[in-house]
Amino acid sequence: MTIVQEKVNKLNNLLLSLESVAIAFSGGVDSTFLAAAAYRILGDRAVAVTAWSESSPVREKNDAQAIARAIGIQHVLLPAGEMNNADFIANTSQRCYYCKKERFSALVAWAEAHGYGWVAEGTNADDLGDFRPGMKAIAELPKVKSPLFTVGFTKAEIRAVSREWGLPTWDKPSAACLVSRLAYGLTITAARLKQVEQAEEVVRQYCPGQIRVRHHDTLARIEVQPEAIPLLTRPDVLPAVVAGIKELGFTYVTLDLSGYRTGSMNETLDEV
């Protein structure tokens, strides 16, 4: 038996021990794998719940709905209330903590009200290597479990088993909420989040792969994969990208020559 198969067996046993579970479901690689595993073991005693607010791209919500249908698991959209939390919208380095605390508290309350014993989320073994204050919030909620982390699944292993199971997310690029695009200290508003979402759609017309538009108030900083940078600097493309983003309310548009990297806003933080 391979190490990965041993982990799958441990995950199955862990999920079986929970008896019923609501999966915190984004439609990303990790939560899709977890939802598929839970549905295989628990059937209708597993449900996928997507917390939804202005901080989530519409594209991701639509993906989550389609992926849940593909798995066969029941899917629920749950309105999230972090935009009403003053500590969250202040946009400090602890913004993820306040967001996760709001969202997972709501998930726990929903699960209890609908007869599910636990909430499970998709943190994996590789996530400890990043700055993730939201993990503290999850640790503070005893009804929330992290089965993939507990079993020791890495991202590569999750992708490998997802491919074996025929899950459409096995090679899906990593995603993050729209708030991760806002510079720390810039008040989080629905209008700014919409600016980011629309700006990324402008860039996506001309560029494949990972795309981020970082919001620095009047300045939009575009990150794409390094090999895609020449696509955006073409004389027939660059003016259209700049014009499209400026129409959304930005004064300046810049292209980050370092290219896309996860959590680039954290480069300004002392605690990272």
Side-chain angles (χ1 to χ4, degrees), residues 202-238:
V202 170
V203 178
R204 192 168 280 112
Q205 295 177 63
Y206 306 97
C207 182
Q210 285 283 25
I211 294 168
R212 298 288 187 271
V213 176
R214 310 293 186 182
H215 197 311
H216 299 263
D217 197 7
T218 58
L219 183 146
R221 175 169 58 89
I222 302 170
E223 293 179 14
V224 296
Q225 292 169 278
E227 62 272 20
I229 289 176
L231 294 176
L232 291 185
T233 57
R234 286 170 41 183
D236 58 331
V237 170
L238 189 59

Coordinates of all heavy atoms in Angstrom, one line a residue, residues 202-238:
V202 N -10.7 42.3 -17.1 CA -10.1 43.0 -18.2 C -8.8 42.3 -18.6 O -8.6 42.0 -19.8 CB -9.8 44.5 -17.8 CG1 -8.9 45.1 -18.9 CG2 -11.1 45.2 -17.6
V203 N -7.9 42.0 -17.7 CA -6.6 41.4 -18.0 C -6.8 40.0 -18.5 O -6.1 39.5 -19.5 CB -5.7 41.3 -16.7 CG1 -4.4 40.6 -17.0 CG2 -5.5 42.7 -16.2
R204 N -7.8 39.3 -18.0 CA -8.1 37.9 -18.4 C -8.5 37.8 -19.9 O -8.3 36.7 -20.5 CB -9.2 37.3 -17.6 CG -9.3 35.8 -17.7 CD -10.2 35.2 -16.6 NE -9.5 35.0 -15.4 CZ -9.7 35.7 -14.2 NH1 -10.6 36.6 -14.2 NH2 -8.9 35.5 -13.2
Q205 N -8.9 38.9 -20.5 CA -9.3 38.8 -21.9 C -8.0 38.6 -22.8 O -8.1 38.1 -23.9 CB -9.9 40.2 -22.3 CG -11.3 40.4 -21.7 CD -11.8 41.8 -22.1 OE1 -12.0 42.1 -23.3 NE2 -11.9 42.7 -21.2
Y206 N -6.9 39.0 -22.3 CA -5.6 39.0 -23.1 C -4.6 38.0 -22.5 O -3.5 37.9 -23.2 CB -5.0 40.4 -23.1 CG -6.0 41.4 -23.6 CD1 -6.7 42.2 -22.7 CD2 -6.3 41.6 -24.9 CE1 -7.6 43.2 -23.1 CE2 -7.1 42.6 -25.4 CZ -7.8 43.4 -24.5 OH -8.7 44.3 -24.9
C207 N -4.8 37.5 -21.4 CA -3.7 36.7 -20.7 C -4.3 35.5 -20.0 O -5.2 35.6 -19.2 CB -3.1 37.7 -19.7 SG -1.7 37.0 -18.8
P208 N -3.6 34.3 -20.2 CA -4.1 33.1 -19.5 C -3.3 33.0 -18.2 O -2.5 33.8 -17.8 CB -3.6 32.0 -20.5 CG -2.4 32.6 -21.1 CD -2.6 34.0 -21.2
G209 N -3.6 31.9 -17.4 CA -2.9 31.6 -16.2 C -3.3 32.5 -15.0 O -4.4 33.1 -15.0
Q210 N -2.5 32.5 -14.0 CA -2.8 33.2 -12.8 C -2.7 34.7 -13.0 O -1.8 35.2 -13.6 CB -1.8 32.8 -11.7 CG -2.0 31.5 -11.1 CD -3.1 31.4 -10.1 OE1 -4.0 32.3 -10.2 NE2 -3.1 30.5 -9.2
I211 N -3.8 35.4 -12.5 CA -3.9 36.9 -12.7 C -4.3 37.5 -11.4 O -5.3 37.0 -10.7 CB -4.9 37.2 -13.8 CG1 -4.5 36.7 -15.1 CG2 -5.2 38.7 -13.8 CD1 -5.6 36.8 -16.2
R212 N -3.6 38.5 -11.0 CA -4.0 39.3 -9.8 C -3.9 40.8 -10.2 O -2.9 41.2 -10.8 CB -3.1 39.0 -8.6 CG -3.2 37.5 -8.1 CD -4.5 37.2 -7.4 NE -4.5 35.9 -6.8 CZ -4.8 34.8 -7.4 NH1 -5.2 34.8 -8.7 NH2 -4.8 33.6 -6.8
V213 N -4.9 41.5 -9.8 CA -4.7 43.0 -9.8 C -4.8 43.5 -8.4 O -5.8 43.4 -7.7 CB -5.9 43.6 -10.6 CG1 -5.7 45.2 -10.6 CG2 -5.8 43.2 -12.1
R214 N -3.6 44.0 -7.9 CA -3.5 44.4 -6.5 C -4.0 45.9 -6.4 O -3.6 46.7 -7.3 CB -2.1 44.3 -6.0 CG -1.4 42.9 -6.3 CD -2.1 41.8 -5.4 NE -1.4 40.6 -5.6 CZ -1.7 39.4 -5.0 NH1 -2.8 39.4 -4.2 NH2 -1.0 38.3 -5.2
H215 N -4.8 46.2 -5.4 CA -5.4 47.5 -5.3 C -4.6 48.4 -4.3 O -4.5 48.1 -3.1 CB -6.8 47.3 -4.8 CG -7.7 48.5 -5.0 ND1 -7.4 49.8 -4.6 CD2 -9.0 48.6 -5.5 CE1 -8.4 50.6 -4.9 NE2 -9.4 49.9 -5.4
H216 N -3.9 49.4 -4.8 CA -3.2 50.3 -4.0 C -3.9 51.7 -4.0 O -3.2 52.7 -4.4 CB -1.7 50.4 -4.4 CG -1.0 49.1 -4.3 ND1 -0.2 48.8 -3.2 CD2 -0.9 48.1 -5.2 CE1 0.4 47.6 -3.4 NE2 -0.1 47.1 -4.6
D217 N -5.1 51.8 -3.7 CA -5.9 53.0 -3.8 C -6.1 53.5 -5.2 O -6.9 52.9 -6.0 CB -5.4 54.1 -2.9 CG -6.4 55.2 -2.5 OD1 -7.5 55.0 -2.9 OD2 -6.0 56.2 -1.9
T218 N -5.3 54.5 -5.6 CA -5.4 55.0 -7.0 C -4.6 54.2 -8.0 O -4.7 54.4 -9.2 CB -5.0 56.5 -7.1 OG1 -3.6 56.6 -6.6 CG2 -5.9 57.3 -6.2
L219 N -3.8 53.3 -7.5 CA -2.9 52.5 -8.4 C -3.3 51.0 -8.5 O -3.6 50.4 -7.4 CB -1.5 52.6 -7.9 CG -0.4 52.0 -8.8 CD1 0.9 52.8 -8.7 CD2 -0.1 50.5 -8.3
A220 N -3.4 50.5 -9.7 CA -3.6 49.1 -9.9 C -2.3 48.4 -10.3 O -1.7 48.8 -11.3 CB -4.7 48.9 -11.0
R221 N -1.9 47.4 -9.6 CA -0.7 46.7 -9.9 C -1.0 45.3 -10.4 O -1.6 44.5 -9.7 CB 0.2 46.6 -8.6 CG 1.5 45.8 -8.8 CD 2.4 45.9 -7.6 NE 1.8 45.6 -6.3 CZ 1.9 44.3 -5.8 NH1 2.4 43.4 -6.5 NH2 1.3 44.1 -4.6
I222 N -0.7 45.0 -11.6 CA -1.0 43.8 -12.3 C 0.1 42.7 -12.1 O 1.3 43.0 -12.3 CB -1.2 44.0 -13.8 CG1 -2.3 45.0 -14.1 CG2 -1.6 42.6 -14.5 CD1 -2.4 45.4 -15.5
E223 N -0.3 41.6 -11.6 CA 0.6 40.4 -11.5 C 0.1 39.3 -12.5 O -1.1 38.9 -12.4 CB 0.7 39.9 -10.1 CG 1.3 40.8 -9.1 CD 1.3 40.1 -7.7 OE1 1.1 38.9 -7.6 OE2 1.5 40.8 -6.7
V224 N 0.9 38.9 -13.4 CA 0.7 37.7 -14.2 C 1.9 36.8 -14.1 O 2.9 37.2 -13.6 CB 0.3 38.0 -15.6 CG1 -0.9 38.9 -15.7 CG2 1.5 38.8 -16.3
Q225 N 1.7 35.6 -14.6 CA 2.9 34.7 -14.6 C 4.0 35.3 -15.5 O 3.7 35.8 -16.6 CB 2.5 33.3 -15.1 CG 1.6 32.6 -14.1 CD 0.9 31.3 -14.6 OE1 -0.1 31.4 -15.3 NE2 1.5 30.2 -14.3
P226 N 5.3 35.2 -15.1 CA 6.3 35.8 -15.8 C 6.3 35.6 -17.3 O 6.6 36.5 -18.1 CB 7.6 35.3 -15.2 CG 7.2 35.0 -13.8 CD 5.8 34.5 -13.9
E227 N 6.0 34.4 -17.7 CA 6.1 34.1 -19.2 C 4.9 34.8 -19.9 O 5.0 34.8 -21.2 CB 6.0 32.6 -19.4 CG 4.7 31.9 -18.9 CD 4.8 31.4 -17.4 OE1 5.7 31.9 -16.7 OE2 4.1 30.5 -17.0
A228 N 3.9 35.3 -19.2 CA 2.8 35.9 -19.8 C 3.0 37.4 -19.9 O 2.2 38.1 -20.6 CB 1.5 35.6 -19.1
I229 N 4.0 38.0 -19.3 CA 4.2 39.4 -19.3 C 4.3 40.0 -20.7 O 3.7 41.0 -21.0 CB 5.5 39.8 -18.5 CG1 5.1 39.6 -17.0 CG2 5.9 41.2 -18.7 CD1 6.3 39.8 -16.0
P230 N 5.0 39.3 -21.6 CA 5.1 39.8 -23.0 C 3.8 39.9 -23.7 O 3.6 40.8 -24.6 CB 6.0 38.8 -23.8 CG 6.9 38.2 -22.7 CD 6.0 38.1 -21.5
L231 N 2.8 39.1 -23.3 CA 1.5 39.2 -23.9 C 0.8 40.5 -23.6 O 0.1 41.1 -24.4 CB 0.6 38.1 -23.4 CG 1.0 36.6 -23.8 CD1 0.0 35.6 -23.1 CD2 0.9 36.5 -25.3
L232 N 1.0 41.0 -22.4 CA 0.4 42.3 -22.0 C 1.1 43.5 -22.5 O 0.5 44.6 -22.5 CB 0.3 42.3 -20.4 CG -0.7 41.4 -19.7 CD1 -0.7 41.6 -18.3 CD2 -2.1 41.5 -20.4
T233 N 2.4 43.4 -22.8 CA 3.1 44.6 -23.3 C 3.1 44.7 -24.8 O 3.8 45.6 -25.3 CB 4.6 44.5 -22.8 OG1 5.2 43.2 -23.2 CG2 4.6 44.5 -21.2
R234 N 2.4 43.9 -25.5 CA 2.2 44.0 -26.9 C 1.6 45.4 -27.2 O 0.6 45.8 -26.5 CB 1.4 42.9 -27.5 CG 2.2 41.6 -27.6 CD 1.2 40.4 -27.9 NE 0.3 40.8 -29.0 CZ -0.7 40.0 -29.4 NH1 -0.8 38.7 -28.9 NH2 -1.5 40.3 -30.4
P235 N 2.0 46.1 -28.3 CA 1.5 47.4 -28.6 C 0.0 47.4 -28.9 O -0.7 48.4 -28.7 CB 2.2 47.8 -29.9 CG 3.5 47.0 -29.8 CD 3.2 45.7 -29.2
D236 N -0.6 46.2 -29.3 CA -2.0 46.1 -29.6 C -2.8 45.7 -28.4 O -4.1 45.7 -28.5 CB -2.3 45.2 -30.8 CG -1.8 43.8 -30.5 OD1 -0.8 43.6 -29.7 OD2 -2.4 42.8 -31.0
V237 N -2.2 45.4 -27.3 CA -2.8 44.9 -26.1 C -2.7 45.9 -24.9 O -3.7 46.3 -24.3 CB -2.3 43.6 -25.6 CG1 -2.8 43.2 -24.3 CG2 -2.7 42.5 -26.7
L238 N -1.5 46.4 -24.7 CA -1.3 47.3 -23.5 C -2.2 48.5 -23.4 O -2.8 48.7 -22.4 CB 0.2 47.8 -23.5 CG 0.7 48.5 -22.3 CD1 0.5 47.6 -21.1 CD2 2.1 48.9 -22.5

